[in-house]
Amino acid sequence: MGERPNIDQLKRECGSNQLKHCFKYLFVQEWNENEALIMYVSQKCADLETKIGRRDELIQEAQSFGSFHDVATDGVDCMIQTQQRERDILAALIGVLDLAREERAEKEQHVGLMDLKD
């Protein structure tokens, strides 16, 4: 049988020549990476939500200056544009988070399938 460099490396990493152990090891590693991604993106979403909330308050305060302050008007316009972009980024991150959570369930199924092969 010919050499399979990727499978052979996986066998070395997991410490077993049995494919079920190799694949379970792989799926557990991927599950761990996915969990780290979920935690990271969740924190970024929370940080962005906080930032958006603070900017909403700042926009309301700056609008109180009225249109007779050119700098305030320009500043508010810029903050509103930035705020929309931040909301778009948050929506995209929430989409990534949803996909990562779906992948979590898949990885759990993959690990479970390898456990059934015992």
Side-chain angles (χ1 to χ4, degrees):
M1 185 177 281
E3 184 176 324
R4 295 186 175 98
N6 294 320
I7 297 294
D8 291 340
Q9 179 181 352
L10 194 55
K11 286 179 180 179
R12 285 189 299 276
E13 288 175 10
C14 80
S16 175
N17 284 327
Q18 294 185 35
L19 282 179
K20 66 181 176 180
H21 295 150
C22 294
F23 291 136
K24 181 177 179 179
Y25 172 82
L26 175 67
F27 299 141
V28 167
Q29 295 301 312
E30 290 176 350
W31 186 87
N32 287 334
E33 290 172 7
N34 193 58
E35 284 302 300
L37 177 64
I38 289 170
M39 288 179 10
Y40 178 78
V41 174
S42 294
Q43 185 59 54
K44 289 299 177 186
C45 286
D47 293 347
L48 199 49
E49 287 169 341
T50 299
K51 186 177 178 181
I52 288 169
R54 286 184 184 144
R55 189 177 292 115
D56 278 340
E57 292 171 0
L58 185 57
I59 288 169
Q60 287 179 343
E61 285 181 33
Q63 286 173 331
S64 71
F65 288 113
S67 59
F68 55 87
H69 284 84
D70 291 342
V71 173
T73 302
D74 291 342
V76 168
D77 289 344
C78 291
M79 283 191 290
I80 289 171
Q81 290 174 11
T82 300
Q83 192 74 324
Q84 184 55 53
R85 183 64 58 210
E86 298 283 357
R87 290 182 198 280
D88 293 344
I89 291 169
L90 179 59
L93 287 174
I94 290 170
V96 168
L97 195 53
D98 289 343
L99 288 172
R101 287 178 175 148
E102 288 175 19
E103 185 177 38
R104 171 195 285 158
E106 286 178 8
K107 295 301 177 193
E108 289 171 354
Q109 290 174 349
H110 297 162
V111 169
L113 181 62
M114 293 302 108
D115 283 339
L116 292 175
K117 300 297 179 182
D118 284 333

